[in-house]
């Protein structure tokens, strides 16, 4: 195990990097972040930041020179940069795993080859491929293979003509056309796999998205049976082992109306749907990421409290007429079950992830009601048709 005081390196200084840095520092490590933006959410809390592009060779060499182990907080870090770092240092997850997760075409191919089902889809490399896609894929979703997140880089397409128009809008980049599925609900699981192959899986959570962005995670969820949770964990474990993955991995799933389970996508890092683990589990997903880097034993993923996590998007800073106003944090903090996490972003923008609130307690039904009250107080529209 690395001695406390050792430097751990991090590619990316967003909120996931910020929460990693806090967890790593809690264990006594120092954190060096590489991110072109200054300030960034992580720069406020890390020990030091290298302000440079992710493919800057001098910065990469400086990171590897100082840090005994290096990780990433986002999947779009150039895989070549991770390979360069890996020439001299332990990098987890490995460039090969990140390269698969950052490319939807490779990701779907890999998951299917591991024996796990994904949504029916067709690979679109050129406009002609859209004409060869099956009729059963419409209505569908056209997703750019790379660089999409939070619903960006994808369009709902009712028919082939709309798909052609969307392909133009995406800039004719390699994409996948996926059938638009009738979802019953969505779930995800975060797991941590150490360098020696030991795996810890966190409890399976239900996710509610709005406009392609995560809005709410609840764990436990009345919709997630024990049998479903077992299937989800088994599929995620199969993928992690097939990748020979080292680090924290999140696997997102669709549950269809007929209860069929499909993998949507994987994230080679801690995930927004795992933020509840900070306040509701013995050891969080960020703690696990730090422990893996430090070659320390993995902590316990045991969930000691029920949790409902609400994402705070920049929209709630905007009042009618477009005026900017700070949301009523004192009102949130007056709720004893509420844990407020703000990421220190200077500028609120619509749809930008600014923070989250996790409500923790014993009774998931009561927490769900409380979450609605807190959301109402912030002007967040609560989803209807959901019983607890
Ligand atoms: N094929 C689909 N059918 C129905 N809903 C979908 C489909 N693909 C995506 N979605 C919805 O959009 C959300 C975001 O899509 P996803 O592929 O996970 O992209 P991102 O990388 O932006 O998270 C999903 O969580 C789901 O709610
Ligand atoms: Mg997603």
């Amino acid at each position: 195990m690395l001695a406390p005081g050792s430097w751990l390196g991090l590619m990316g200084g967003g909120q996931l990097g910020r929460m990693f840095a806090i967890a790593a520092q809690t264990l006594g490590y120092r954190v060096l972040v590489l991110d072109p933006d200054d300030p960034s959410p992580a720069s406020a809390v890390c020990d030091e930041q290298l302000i440079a592009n992710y493919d800057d060779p001098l910065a990469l060499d400086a990171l590897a020179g100082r840090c005994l182990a290096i990780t990433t907080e986002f999947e779009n870090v150039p895989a070549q940069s991770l390979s360069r770092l890996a020439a001299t240092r332990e990098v987890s997850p490995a460039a090969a795993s990140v390269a698969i997760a950052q490319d939807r075409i490779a990701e779907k191919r890999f998951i299917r080859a591991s024996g796990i089902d994904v949504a029916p889809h067709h690979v679109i490399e050129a406009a002609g491929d859209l004409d060869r896609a099956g009729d059963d894929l419409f209505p569908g979703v056209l997703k750019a293979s790379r660089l999409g997140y939070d619903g960006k880089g994808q369009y709902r397409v009712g028919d082939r003509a709309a798909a052609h128009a969307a392909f133009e809008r995406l800039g004719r980049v390699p994409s996948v056309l996926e059938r638009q599925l009738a979802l019953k609900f969505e779930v995800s699981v975060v797991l941590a796999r150490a360098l020696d192959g030991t795996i810890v899986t966190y409890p399976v959570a239900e996710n509610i998205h709005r406009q392609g962005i995560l809005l709410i995670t609840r764990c436990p969820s009345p919709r997630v049976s024990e049998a479903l949770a077992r299937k989800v964990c088994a599929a995620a474990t199969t993928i992690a082992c097939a990748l020979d993955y080292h680090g924290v991995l999140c696997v997102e799933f669709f549950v269809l109306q007929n209860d069929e389970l499909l993998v949507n996508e994987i994230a080679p890092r801690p995930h927004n749907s795992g933020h509840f683990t900070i306040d509701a589990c013995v050891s969080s997903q960020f703690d696990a990421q730090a422990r893996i880097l430090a070659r320390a034993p993995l902590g316990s993923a045991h969930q000691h409290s029920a949790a409902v996590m609400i994402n705070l998007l920049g929209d709630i800073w905007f009042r009618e007429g477009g005026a900017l106003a700070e949301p009523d944090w004192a009102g949130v903090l007056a709720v004893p079950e509420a844990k407020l996490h703000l990421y220190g972003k200077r500028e609120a923008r619509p749809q930008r992830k600014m923070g989250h609130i996790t409500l923790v307690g014993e009774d998931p039904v009561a927490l769900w009601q409380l979450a609605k009250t807190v959301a109402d107080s912030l002007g967040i529209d609560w989803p209807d048709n959901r019983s607890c």
Side-chain angles (χ1 to χ4, degrees):
M1 176 177 155
L2 301 185
S6 305
W7 285 88
L8 302 180
L10 178 67
M11 297 288 277
Q15 63 265 22
L16 299 174
R18 177 184 176 97
M19 290 182 269
F20 163 79
I22 292 168
Q25 289 167 340
T26 303
L27 290 169
Y29 296 100
R30 289 185 283 181
V31 177
L32 179 58
V33 170
L34 193 161
D35 191 298
D37 291 338
D38 180 38
S40 68
S43 67
V45 305
C46 69
D47 293 87
E48 246 180 83
Q49 184 184 355
L50 291 162
I51 303 162
N53 288 329
Y54 297 118
D55 56 359
D56 180 324
L58 287 179
L60 292 169
D61 292 349
L63 191 67
R66 180 92 67 86
C67 301
L68 299 176
I70 299 162
T71 189
T72 177
E73 63 129 28
F74 72 126
E75 56 268 44
N76 293 324
V77 58
Q80 301 92 305
S81 298
L82 296 182
S83 301
R84 185 182 180 105
L85 295 168
T88 54
R89 294 299 187 199
E90 189 70 56
V91 175
S92 59
S97 297
V98 175
I100 290 170
Q102 69 187 195
D103 181 325
R104 290 188 197 278
I105 298 171
E107 179 181 68
K108 287 186 194 303
R109 197 172 286 144
F110 186 88
I111 293 167
R112 241 188 202 165
S114 314
I116 313 278
D117 293 331
V118 297
H121 67 279
H122 191 79
V123 172
I124 310 296
E125 307 269 12
D129 294 321
L130 283 170
D131 299 319
R132 287 182 280 276
D135 289 338
D136 63 319
L137 296 182
F138 295 100
V141 189
L142 186 70
K143 304 181 178 181
S145 189
R146 303 175 74 88
L147 301 173
Y149 70 100
D150 287 348
K152 296 184 179 67
Q154 56 178 268
Y155 294 101
R156 305 241 156 178
V157 291
D159 53 29
R160 225 174 275 277
H164 276 284
F167 188 59
E168 293 299 318
R169 247 175 293 153
L170 287 175
R172 302 185 189 196
V173 292
S175 306
V176 290
L177 173 66
E178 233 174 77
R179 182 192 301 165
Q180 190 176 314
L181 300 159
L183 307 183
K184 197 170 186 183
F185 56 98
E186 294 180 73
V187 298
S188 62
V189 69
V190 170
L191 65 75
R193 189 165 184 269
L195 298 180
D196 66 0
T198 315
I199 292 187
V200 159
T201 45
Y202 283 87
V204 176
E206 181 192 354
N207 299 319
I208 298 167
H209 295 83
R210 181 169 292 151
Q211 294 173 329
I213 306 181
L214 184 65
L215 179 65
I216 302 164
T217 295
R218 62 171 163 178
C219 191
S221 158
R223 299 173 152 210
V224 177
S225 65
E226 258 180 51
L228 174 64
R230 265 197 305 276
K231 268 174 81 175
V232 162
C233 290
T237 302
T238 299
I239 293 169
C241 292
L243 285 168
D244 193 18
Y245 191 85
H246 299 129
V248 172
L249 177 76
C250 177
V251 185
E252 292 182 59
F253 295 83
F254 295 141
V255 181
L256 305 189
Q257 295 296 339
N258 63 2
D259 289 331
E260 199 184 333
L261 184 68
L262 302 177
V263 167
N264 171 21
E265 59 175 352
I266 62 176
R269 51 171 171 79
H271 193 258
N272 196 167
S273 66
H275 289 356
F276 77 91
T277 63
I278 298 174
D279 297 304
C281 294
V282 174
S283 187
S284 77
Q285 60 172 350
F286 300 102
D287 196 14
Q289 188 181 21
R291 285 169 182 245
I292 291 169
L293 277 196
R295 296 174 167 270
L298 288 175
S300 163
H302 172 70
Q303 187 178 0
H304 51 70
S305 301
V308 178
M309 192 268 334
I310 309 169
N311 258 350
L312 301 171
L313 302 181
D315 307 65
I316 62 170
W317 270 251
F318 293 88
R319 295 294 134 101
E320 256 167 63
L324 263 176
E326 197 69 29
D328 176 18
W329 303 130
V332 173
L333 294 171
V335 176
E337 294 86 350
K339 303 280 288 190
L340 175 63
H341 299 253
L342 290 172
Y343 306 146
K345 296 184 183 177
R346 304 261 170 103
E347 191 196 345
R349 290 196 295 268
Q351 313 269 291
R352 187 178 197 200
K353 289 177 177 171
M354 303 295 291
H356 69 270
I357 296 168
T358 307
L359 296 150
V360 286
E362 281 179 19
D363 176 2
V365 179
L367 273 189
W368 184 251
Q369 292 309 324
L370 186 63
K372 177 179 174 5
T373 311
V374 171
D376 282 349
S377 77
L378 292 170
I380 299 169
D381 267 346
W382 200 246
D384 45 16
N385 304 328
R386 289 191 183 263
S387 57
C388 205

